[in-house]
Amino acid sequence: MTTQAVSIPFVDLKAQFQSLRGELMDAIESSIESMQLFLGPNVHAFEREFATYCETADAIGVGSGTDALILALRACDIGPGDEVITVSHTFIATTEAIVILGARPVFVDVDPVTYNLDPDKIEAAITPRTKAILPVHLYGQPAEMGPILEIARQRGLRVVEDACQAHGARYMGKRTGGFGDAAAFSFYMGKNLGAYGEGGAVVTNSAEIAEKIRLYRNHGSETKYMHSVMGVNARLDEIQAAVLRVKLRHLDEWNRARRAHAASYRAAFAGSRVRAPIEADWAEHVYHLFVVQVDDRDRLMQQLGEAGIATGIHYPQPVHLQEAARQYGRGEGSLPVTERIAKHIVSLPMYAELTAVQIERVVSEVRRLA
Ligand SMILES: *Cc1c(COP(=O)(O)O)cnc(C)c1O
């Protein structure tokens, strides 16, 4: 007997859309109807709502998470000749933002348990040119901000958080985004809070940084055709802001669902060959991605694919070994933890709308095949 297995996608954006279809379409329609499509009421309201959500003084809507990183670093006066300490085990945008400002990324290895910047390895990477630390809250788990902030305070460094995967995550009870001088969020569609196009935000408790970013994102202009600094076009658009306002009201409930799915996965993988992610005591992880490690990752992915279960690798090649970034790193062997985990990690399906039946199927196939 053969049973035709139903396929399980890696993320299911359609399921989320169906659950909010009426509200979303109304928001989009009324935004267009109003024809206030340039830094208008939805962007302003979303900025207030997102700042409140992140427990920060301010939020500035921008064009993408990458824009948010670039503008946050620029507002912290990072520029040519400066060094920024960051990780190689991340999406390339973290490094791109540093490089595009003329600064130099200095890669530090990650902690093998949390997959985040290892605070014990920061000191050795500091030089007289070091200006900032850029930790990433990877997969939705906050970086260990306590020791990072302490080093930054002692050494007079800026801290910018890459929170593009960690909307709503908490470190010691406090939301990510409010720890450093500024933090960057992405609203790329697959993120825990995703637009239907591009979008991002910088959150900050500094009025000075907020003011600079409001200028930079809009051609350095406060008054039409009057430009006080050289900026860019990195505005969040009204339609995306309207969508994000609807979705923000559901973010905590979606994150709770992700955490519950992660707990089911973790319990089911206990005692198997699958190394499930570990949530640090101080973390409230929001599981943007559910990443496990296995011995033979490529074979597992292939066989899961044949069984109709989609998976991903985040990320298959560390940034310091990418052709685009090799010149900034110290090559193969320089970041042993980063390089080792890149060979074993695999991301399993994770989204709020996953059902118990789907999770059960992923678990039984992974346990059987790993
Ligand atoms: C998604 C992401 C970014 C970039 O965000 P975009 O909105 O795609 O520009 C940056 N850093 C990390 C860690 C990300 O996951």
Side-chain angles (χ1 to χ4, degrees):
M1 190 190 82
T2 60
T3 45
Q4 183 56 53
V6 194
S7 65
I8 302 176
F10 186 66
V11 285
D12 190 349
L13 298 179
K14 251 192 187 153
Q16 188 194 68
F17 176 61
Q18 295 304 357
S19 75
L20 295 175
R21 186 185 194 107
E23 248 184 293
L24 285 164
M25 294 315 282
D26 285 350
I28 292 168
E29 190 173 350
S30 63
S31 170
I32 299 171
E33 200 93 63
S34 76
M35 274 306 153
Q36 289 183 273
L37 296 172
F38 178 95
L39 296 179
N42 281 303
V43 168
H44 294 129
F46 175 71
E47 289 178 342
R48 283 193 306 276
E49 290 157 8
F50 194 62
T52 303
Y53 181 84
C54 295
E55 303 167 357
T56 55
D58 215 336
I60 306 95
V62 296
S64 67
T66 309
D67 283 343
L69 284 165
I70 295 168
L71 299 187
L73 289 169
R74 185 177 163 197
C76 289
D77 299 314
I78 306 304
D82 296 333
E83 290 178 357
V84 179
I85 291 174
T86 192
V87 288
S88 170
H89 183 56
T90 179
F91 181 58
I92 188 91
T94 318
T95 296
E96 281 177 316
I98 298 167
V99 170
I100 210 157
L101 290 168
R104 189 178 178 88
V106 175
F107 300 114
V108 165
D109 217 344
V110 293
D111 179 284
V113 172
T114 64
Y115 300 123
N116 280 325
L117 178 61
D118 185 342
D120 294 339
K121 301 201 175 118
I122 296 174
E123 287 282 358
I126 296 176
T127 77
R129 288 168 178 258
T130 308
K131 260 299 228 351
I133 307 175
L134 175 42
V136 181
H137 305 307
L138 200 71
Y139 307 150
Q141 169 139 269
E144 201 177 349
M145 293 311 294
I148 294 171
L149 292 167
E150 182 52 26
I151 293 167
R153 195 189 57 78
Q154 284 171 10
R155 301 300 202 108
L157 306 176
R158 301 287 214 150
V159 175
V160 173
E161 300 165 62
D162 182 340
C164 288
Q165 301 189 359
H167 317 67
R170 292 178 192 272
Y171 172 81
M172 293 194 173
K174 191 175 139 185
R175 299 262 200 212
T176 56
F179 291 96
D181 294 279
F185 285 90
S186 164
F187 307 125
Y188 181 74
M189 42 270 190
K191 301 292 163 86
N192 289 29
L193 178 62
Y196 291 131
E198 304 288 342
V202 178
V203 301
T204 181
N205 289 312
S206 156
E208 188 195 333
I209 288 174
E211 191 183 343
K212 284 186 183 172
I213 290 169
R214 285 210 160 81
L215 276 178
Y216 297 157
R217 73 162 172 194
N218 187 29
H219 299 295
S221 170
E222 244 172 324
T223 312
K224 203 170 188 188
Y225 302 132
M226 301 304 284
H227 309 274
S228 53
V229 292
M230 286 293 172
V232 288
N233 177 357
R235 299 180 295 256
L236 178 65
D237 81 68
E238 277 288 305
I239 296 175
Q240 300 307 333
V243 167
L244 291 167
R245 291 184 68 199
V246 172
K247 291 196 182 190
L248 180 59
R249 298 198 280 272
H250 299 273
L251 180 56
D252 279 338
E253 148 207 336
W254 291 332
N255 282 345
R256 274 195 296 276
R258 286 173 181 270
R259 288 176 54 75
H261 301 333
S264 305
Y265 271 145
R266 191 182 286 109
F269 291 134
S272 78
R273 283 185 298 274
V274 179
R275 270 112 58 207
I278 289 166
E279 186 164 329
D281 309 338
W282 34 259
E284 191 176 308
H285 197 317
V286 292
Y287 296 96
H288 171 56
L289 294 166
F290 190 87
V291 177
V292 301
Q293 287 193 63
V294 292
D295 293 334
D296 194 347
R297 186 261 318 274
D298 295 340
R299 182 184 54 78
L300 176 66
M301 286 182 77
Q302 153 104 33
Q303 293 178 341
L304 287 173
E306 285 161 9
I309 296 171
T311 55
I313 308 175
H314 301 87
Y315 295 88
Q317 186 173 47
V319 173
H320 72 290
L321 302 180
Q322 297 278 349
E323 192 183 341
R326 268 187 179 272
Q327 61 184 298
Y328 306 110
R330 282 175 295 116
E332 204 103 32
S334 62
L335 300 171
V337 179
T338 294
E339 291 167 35
R340 187 185 65 220
I341 63 189
K343 297 189 173 82
H344 296 285
I345 46 176
V346 50
S347 310
L348 302 181
M350 174 52 82
Y351 44 93
E353 299 77 11
L354 264 179
T355 64
V357 173
Q358 288 175 313
I359 291 175
E360 189 134 332
R361 211 172 132 242
V362 174
V363 163
S364 70
E365 290 295 319
V366 172
R367 283 197 64 136
R368 187 169 71 80
L369 298 168

